[in-house]
Amino acid sequence: MEFLFIGLAVGAVVAYFVFARFNKEKSKSKTNEQSLVIMDKIKSVCKFITVEGDFSEIYHYENLKEKYLSLLLGKKKAIVLVNAKAHVGFDLSKIKMSSENEKRVIILTNFPQPELLTVETDFKYYDKREGWANPFTTSDLTDINRDAKSYIVDKIPQSGLMDQARKEALDTILLMEKIVGTIGWRLDYTALTLGDKAQEKLEN
């Protein structure tokens, strides 16, 4: 009878340690899974638009590729009014993150630079002149639209949109912090250099 109680006691102790170990491994696995879900959730936002800018430019087109042929057949000219809407923001798939699972912390170590995400354009043709034997072709119009769009894109870096987007970087990080906080984790972005004004805002 005495051996029976000893056996039950030993069995209970072994069962406790087995259960505790299993529960710890299960909890660790769940924590690892949580951190991966959080990071995937942030990256799934992908391209995050923070700044929008409107452009209206006049683009002058003249066909000079075939100079001598144009003299013979007549020049092609056009004035194009280009209205464009540019979206600048961040590609969140480029961020670098790691996790400290025991502390339930996501560490943000790299934040991407702002970039042009999309440009929506609308073209209106004015004073379109064709040579008597040198009409506009579909290929010509495609080239004009492409070049006119490129003309707008070249002006975006000088427009101040990129600088404005950089100022919005902190708001984007704070949004990420809220996403992380929804399941009880914390975002650590102290490794980032956000500039004096942003750093001052962080500390206040």
Side-chain angles (χ1 to χ4, degrees):
M1 191 73 172
E2 184 178 347
F3 288 109
L4 178 61
F5 283 115
I6 292 173
L8 288 173
V10 171
V13 171
V14 171
Y16 169 78
F17 281 108
V18 169
F19 175 77
R21 171 118 185 153
F22 174 75
N23 197 43
K24 185 178 180 181
E25 290 295 327
K26 187 176 180 181
S27 177
K28 185 177 179 182
S29 176
K30 187 176 180 181
T31 303
N32 288 339
E33 186 178 339
Q34 271 189 332
S35 67
L36 290 173
V37 167
I38 292 172
M39 289 189 280
D40 285 343
K41 188 174 182 181
I42 290 172
K43 289 185 178 182
S44 69
V45 176
C46 285
K47 296 182 179 180
F48 188 70
I49 296 170
T50 58
V51 179
E52 182 179 276
D54 293 312
F55 294 82
S56 184
E57 298 286 342
I58 295 175
Y59 177 73
H60 295 269
Y61 169 83
E62 183 173 349
N63 182 22
L64 297 174
K65 291 181 180 179
E66 299 171 344
K67 186 176 179 180
Y68 295 108
L69 190 62
S70 295
L71 289 173
L72 179 63
L73 303 179
K75 291 182 180 179
K76 288 183 284 192
K77 293 182 178 181
I79 296 176
V80 186
L81 176 62
V82 189
N83 291 312
K85 190 179 291 292
H87 297 118
V88 175
F90 304 93
D91 185 350
L92 299 186
S93 66
K94 294 180 180 179
I95 62 177
K96 292 181 182 178
M97 293 182 291
S98 58
S99 64
E100 289 187 5
N101 296 330
E102 293 181 1
K103 296 180 180 179
R104 297 174 71 82
V105 174
I106 300 294
I107 304 168
L108 183 60
T109 55
N110 182 67
F111 195 77
Q113 289 295 312
E115 59 186 87
L116 178 63
L117 300 178
T118 62
V119 179
E120 299 171 4
T121 50
D122 179 59
F123 304 99
K124 291 181 180 177
Y125 286 82
Y126 296 91
D127 195 26
K128 188 165 73 170
R129 299 181 184 180
E130 300 177 311
W132 68 274
N134 192 15
F136 278 100
T137 65
T138 302
S139 178
D140 290 330
L141 297 178
T142 300
D143 289 343
I144 293 172
N145 290 352
R146 184 197 62 228
D147 293 342
K149 182 176 180 179
S150 178
Y151 179 71
I152 291 287
V153 170
D154 289 341
K155 289 182 173 291
I156 291 173
Q158 291 80 43
S159 68
L161 287 181
M162 295 297 181
D163 291 334
Q164 191 176 342
R166 287 188 185 94
K167 293 177 183 178
E168 300 290 336
L170 179 61
D171 291 336
T172 307
I173 292 172
L174 294 178
L175 173 65
M176 291 167 56
E177 188 175 34
K178 289 180 181 178
I179 293 174
V180 171
T182 57
I183 58 173
W185 284 61
R186 182 172 63 86
L187 181 68
D188 181 354
Y189 46 89
T190 54
L192 299 180
T193 302
L194 298 174
D196 295 338
K197 291 184 179 178
Q199 192 64 39
E200 187 178 325
K201 187 176 178 181
L202 281 174
E203 293 171 355
N204 292 336

